[in-house]
Amino acid sequence: MAACSSPFKMSTGAMESEVEKKQESETEIPMDFSIKHPLQNCWTLWYYENDRSQSWEKNQKEIASFQFVEDFWSLYNHIKSASELKQGTDYSLFKKGIMPMWEDKANHRGGRWLLSLEKKQRANELDRYWLDIVYGLAMHQMLLLSLKLAGS
């Protein structure tokens, strides 16, 4: 018994000409993976480790800056998750050029968000909260949300 084959291979004349017409009418557009999607701002991720022998400013380490969506994901996928950080360490995300400290003039009217979670929540939910906040901030969605919440 012969093996089954595709109806396109078994067809004659009319069906083959239909396939040829379809192939001629479709132009293949190659994907350009070098195109990046810019963010409205350039952002810097900072890491703080509490070394009491150093000043607060010296404990801040600049990890990397990004201004494209693709670079955000690259950075996010190559750093420790928030739940893996040891106690007394922090990540901070600031617009490039702004230091994560009150003394920076850009922060004079700023604030600080702290999230307190129980241990079991930390293991299960901290990474999602961190991603939602930094992604929303970097992608400028937090402003849109705050405008909706304010009733505008």
Side-chain angles (χ1 to χ4, degrees), residues 107-126:
N107 296 328
H108 78 280
R109 291 181 31 201
R112 181 178 178 192
W113 291 357
L114 294 174
L115 183 61
S116 298
L117 299 172
E118 295 177 17
K119 278 192 177 191
K120 65 181 177 180
Q121 283 182 299
R122 180 178 171 86
N124 297 328
E125 299 175 29
L126 177 61

Side-chain angles (χ1 to χ4, degrees), residues 58-70:
K58 289 199 186 266
N59 280 324
Q60 294 287 346
K61 305 291 186 230
E62 185 175 333
I63 303 298
S65 294
F66 58 91
Q67 68 183 74
F68 296 96
V69 173
E70 293 79 5

Side-chain angles (χ1 to χ4, degrees), residues 94 98-99 101-113:
F94 282 78
I98 300 175
M99 295 286 296
M101 50 194 315
W102 293 115
E103 292 78 11
D104 191 306
K105 290 180 183 174
N107 296 328
H108 78 280
R109 291 181 31 201
R112 181 178 178 192
W113 291 357

